């Protein structure tokens, strides 16, 4: 079959894989190839054991794979054949040198820019899909323009807003698609080519075009605003615990104001995931680099409040369990950073597990999708940790349960059965407020929700 366009995506991760699967599904006349340096990852994309868990993703991949969707490690060939190249490589927080712990590590991104230059022999549109510091496109353009072959490259910013666990739905019906380009004729043409891809299934009024810098910065700001809402309600959850107010009632009352809205104000043990912390720290770093220290301090507080919330959760467990948890068996229900994903990057489960182990508790980690990643996150730590997929086996002889992830399976557990096999007094620390606290109390548990009065039999 002759395809009308060749699209390449460099980076077959949480963003590259699902995004390209959706484009391939909705645009059968385009050939979509996803390449990665990681052979194992590509092998799994070519199997039914996909490298990431995402509801509906396997069906979408199966529908397009082998027809107009291809996964490969042949990067130079892919670049040569492409008309449009999406760059969706990882941009983690730098761990070394200048800006360590704050700035984005752009080494993977820069490498792709050089690869594109060396393997191209005709004009191409380069799309920044990765989340990048504002004005990165300028550096991308400089690298691309240094080519001796006189090839024209247009750089477009098209940040991704999908959330893990709902990636397929988010891609199917996005709130918006953002496309930033240079305000020149060729920049506008390039933006139009990218808009035409999404126009196959996204209504025109949801496709927003801006200048390059606004698109890059909007992505960081969107994540910062979302995370800020979570830190705001988490700060209030601490006050609720001192005053017997109920944080869920507050979320509902406050969120009923349509100017505020009800989403992203559920109290939790803190936000996790690969992006919120990294993107805010990047924003903070950028602000400081422009001398905007007050602005930087303001946003940095969002991350500090998140750490405070995780620490508070652990302190509460220790205090309520009579100030010692040495050799006590504590079951972490969930380890993924949120439900419906196996991803554990920056999961609040990690600091919670580390702090509990430092107190010499005996841990059992239970998660329907994230045990493989949990093992990797906690590898090499001193202490007693077991991994158990079956919650009923996990809780045998446990002193306490701590809810880390809001999986539906945990809400549906038979807690009479759970209580019957636990040590007494039995404790529940609900870091997500997903359980029926009154019912647990009636069964005999001592219940410690977040931001609500405790229910104890003492
Ligand atoms: P990821 O780590 O899952 O995937 C990145 C992939 O890029 C890896 O498989 C890696 O092997 C590959 N890669 C790195 N350098 C390469 C190179 N030179 N050539 C070929 N492949 C290379 O990362 P991700 O979660 O998909 O995130 C990618 C970007 O998208 C980040 O900037 C992130 O901030 C952003 N983002 C992520 C999400 C999310 O939900 N995870 C959502 C929106 C935006
Ligand atoms: C987030 C954004 O929602 C996406 O728009 C963005 O594209 C993505 O980051 C990214 O740039 O990577 P994601 O991290 O996958 O998506 O998941 P979210 O649903 O945003 O949840 C993030 C964290 O906040 C989770 O730990 C979740 O449990 C927590 N959260 C969320 C709360 O604690 N309370 C809430 O009310 C909502």
């Amino acid at each position: 079959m002759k395809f009308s366009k060749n699209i390449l995506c460099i980076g077959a991760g949480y963003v590259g894989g699902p995004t390209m699967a959706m484009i391939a599904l909705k645009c059968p006349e385009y050939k979509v190839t996803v390449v990665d340096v990681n052979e194992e990852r590509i092998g799994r994309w070519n199997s039914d054991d996909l490298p990431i868990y995402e509801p509906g993703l396997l069906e979408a991949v199966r529908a397009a794979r082998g027809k107009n969707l291809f996964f490969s490690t042949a990067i130079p060939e892919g670049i040569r054949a492409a008309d449009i190249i999406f760059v969706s490589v990882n941009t983690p927080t730098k761990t070394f040198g200048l800006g360590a712990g704050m700035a984005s590590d752009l080494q993977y991104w820069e490498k792709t820019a050089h690869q594109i230059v060396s393997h191209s022999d005709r004009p191409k549109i380069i799309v920044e899909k990765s989340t990048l510091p504002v004005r990165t496109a300028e550096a991308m353009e400089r690298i691309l323009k240094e080519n001796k072959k006189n090839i024209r490259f247009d750089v477009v910013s098209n940040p991704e807003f999908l959330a893990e666990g709902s990636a397929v739905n988010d891609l199917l019906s996005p709130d918006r698609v953002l496309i930033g380009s240079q305000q020149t004729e060729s920049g506008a043409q390039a933006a139009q080519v990218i808009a035409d891809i999404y126009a196959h299934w996204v209504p025109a009024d949801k496709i927003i075009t801006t200048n390059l810098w606004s698109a890059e910065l909007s992505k960081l700001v969107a994540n910062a605003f979302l995370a800020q809402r979570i830190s705001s309600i988490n700060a209030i959850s601490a006050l609720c615990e001192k005053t017997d107010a109920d944080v869920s009632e507050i979320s509902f009352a406050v969120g009923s104001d349509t100017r505020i809205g009800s989403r992203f104000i559920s109290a939790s043990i803190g936000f996790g995931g690969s992006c919120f912390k990294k993107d805010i720290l990047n924003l903070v770093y950028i602000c400081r680099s422009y001398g905007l220290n007050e602005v930087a301090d303001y946003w940095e507080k969002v991350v500090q409040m998140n750490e405070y919330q995780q620490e508070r959760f652990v302190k509460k467990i220790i205090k309520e369990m009579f100030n010692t948890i040495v050799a006590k068996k504590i079951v972490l229900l969930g380890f993924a950073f949120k439900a419906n994903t196996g991803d554990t990057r920056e999961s609040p489960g990690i600091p919670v597990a580390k702090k509990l182990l430092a107190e010499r508790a005996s841990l059992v980690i239970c998660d329907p999708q994230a045990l493989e990643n949990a093992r990797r996150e906690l590898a090499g730590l001193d202490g007693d940790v077991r991994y158990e997929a079956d919650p009923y086996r996990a809780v045998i002889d446990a002193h306490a349960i701590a809810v880390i992830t809001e999986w539906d399976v945990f809400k549906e557990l038979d807690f009479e059965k759970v209580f019957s096999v636990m040590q007494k007094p039995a404790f529940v620390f609900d870091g997500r407020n997903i359980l029926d606290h009154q019912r647990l109390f009636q069964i005999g548990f001592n219940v410690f929700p977040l931001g609500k009065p405790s229910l104890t039999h003492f």
Side-chain angles (χ1 to χ4, degrees), residues 116-164:
I116 291 171
V117 172
S118 39
H119 301 297
S120 294
D121 46 21
R122 62 190 168 88
K124 294 180 199 297
I125 297 174
I126 311 302
V127 187
E128 296 178 340
K129 198 56 161 162
S130 301
T131 303
L132 294 160
V134 56
R135 295 202 78 88
T136 300
E138 198 169 37
M140 176 69 110
E141 279 176 342
R142 277 191 195 145
I143 295 171
L144 295 174
K145 275 191 186 132
E146 280 305 300
N147 73 84
K148 304 236 163 62
K149 309 170 205 166
N150 240 340
I151 303 171
R152 206 189 76 224
F153 293 100
D154 285 295
V155 179
V156 168
S157 166
N158 170 221
E160 184 49 57
F161 295 100
L162 68 79
E164 288 180 32

Side-chain angles (χ1 to χ4, degrees), residues 52 87 144-145 154 205 237 274 312 346 353 366 393 397-398 420 437 447:
I52 60 176
V87 180
L144 295 174
K145 275 191 186 132
D154 285 295
D205 62 342
S237 75
S274 61
R312 220 168 64 73
E346 296 294 336
C366 177
R393 286 168 59 102
D397 284 332
S420 70
H437 302 137
V447 188

Side-chain angles (χ1 to χ4, degrees), residues 11-49:
Y14 285 85
V15 169
T19 314
M20 292 304 125
M22 187 57 65
I23 291 179
L25 202 61
K26 296 293 180 182
C27 311
E29 75 276 28
Y30 297 163
K31 181 180 177 188
V32 180
T33 307
V34 191
V35 290
D36 203 293
V37 282
N38 184 331
E39 270 180 44
E40 193 227 328
R41 241 184 184 184
I42 290 298
R44 286 182 71 176
W45 280 113
N46 279 320
S47 77
D48 280 352
D49 177 26

Side-chain angles (χ1 to χ4, degrees), residues 131 160-164 219 223 226 230 234 263-268 270-276 279 337-338 348 406 432:
T131 303
E160 184 49 57
F161 295 100
L162 68 79
E164 288 180 32
K219 173 62 199 177
N223 274 357
L226 289 168
I230 302 167
N234 282 344
R263 299 181 66 193
F264 274 75
I265 48 170
S266 297
S268 67
F271 57 77
S274 61
C275 294
F276 277 179
D279 292 347
F337 80 95
K338 63 185 274 196
E406 71 283 17
R432 295 285 184 168

Side-chain angles (χ1 to χ4, degrees), residues 104-404:
S104 274
D105 183 348
L106 297 176
Q107 60 172 310
Y108 309 104
W109 166 88
E110 194 192 337
K111 189 158 180 241
T112 59
H114 290 291
Q115 283 173 311
I116 291 171
V117 172
S118 39
H119 301 297
S120 294
D121 46 21
R122 62 190 168 88
K124 294 180 199 297
I125 297 174
I126 311 302
V127 187
E128 296 178 340
K129 198 56 161 162
S130 301
T131 303
L132 294 160
V134 56
R135 295 202 78 88
T136 300
E138 198 169 37
M140 176 69 110
E141 279 176 342
R142 277 191 195 145
I143 295 171
L144 295 174
K145 275 191 186 132
E146 280 305 300
N147 73 84
K148 304 236 163 62
K149 309 170 205 166
N150 240 340
I151 303 171
R152 206 189 76 224
F153 293 100
D154 285 295
V155 179
V156 168
S157 166
N158 170 221
E160 184 49 57
F161 295 100
L162 68 79
E164 288 180 32
S166 55
V168 173
N169 270 338
D170 294 342
L171 289 166
L172 260 179
S173 11
D175 285 347
R176 79 308 210 178
V177 166
L178 180 58
I179 301 170
S181 65
Q182 291 287 20
Q183 304 299 288
T184 58
E185 202 182 320
S186 83
Q189 277 168 4
Q192 191 55 49
V193 171
I194 305 309
D196 287 346
I197 300 176
Y198 291 101
H200 282 71
W201 78 97
V202 178
D205 62 342
K206 293 200 167 169
I207 301 179
I208 303 171
T209 50
T210 65
N211 80 30
L212 259 176
W213 324 124
S214 306
E216 288 178 334
L217 189 53
S218 295
K219 173 62 199 177
L220 294 182
V221 173
N223 274 357
F225 272 45
L226 289 168
Q228 179 202 44
R229 286 169 68 89
I230 302 167
S231 277
S232 297
I233 198 69
N234 282 344
I236 297 304
S237 75
L239 182 58
C240 287
E241 285 168 33
K242 298 283 182 203
T243 56
D244 282 356
D246 179 325
V247 77
S248 300
E249 292 178 349
I250 291 179
S251 290
F252 184 72
V254 172
S256 299
D257 184 328
T258 52
R259 293 171 303 174
I260 296 172
S262 59
R263 299 181 66 193
F264 274 75
I265 48 170
S266 297
S268 67
I269 38 168
F271 57 77
S274 61
C275 294
F276 277 179
K277 182 174 167 189
K278 139 177 114 61
D279 292 347
I280 296 175
L281 292 178
N282 185 11
L283 185 65
V284 169
Y285 184 75
I286 294 168
C287 292
R288 287 211 201 289
S289 71
Y290 285 108
L292 300 172
N293 288 324
E294 288 76 4
V295 184
D297 291 347
Y298 174 76
W299 287 108
E300 198 163 20
K301 274 281 170 225
V302 173
V303 174
Q304 287 167 3
M305 182 52 62
N306 201 48
E307 285 160 4
Y308 166 76
Q309 187 75 344
Q310 294 163 359
E311 213 168 290
R312 220 168 64 73
F313 185 69
V314 174
K315 279 188 179 154
K316 179 161 221 158
I317 295 178
I318 300 167
K319 175 173 165 272
E320 300 299 345
M321 293 181 77
F322 318 116
N323 290 310
T324 172
I325 53 171
V326 175
K328 288 184 183 166
K329 181 169 165 182
I330 301 179
V331 180
L332 300 192
L333 283 186
F335 204 79
F337 80 95
K338 63 185 274 196
N340 300 319
T341 174
D343 195 351
T344 56
R345 290 179 291 177
E346 296 294 336
S347 169
I350 302 167
V352 168
K354 285 184 177 166
K355 288 182 209 298
L356 293 175
L357 283 175
E359 292 290 329
R360 303 196 183 161
S362 176
L363 291 192
V364 183
I365 316 277
C366 177
D367 191 291
Q369 289 294 340
L371 289 189
E372 192 185 325
N373 283 331
R375 270 201 188 88
R376 206 177 9 242
E377 298 280 8
L378 301 180
L381 282 183
D382 279 344
D384 180 14
V385 194
R386 277 201 307 115
Y387 300 86
E388 175 59 68
D390 177 355
Y392 292 108
R393 286 168 59 102
V395 296
I396 294 171
D397 284 332
H399 295 78
I401 289 171
V403 179
I404 304 293

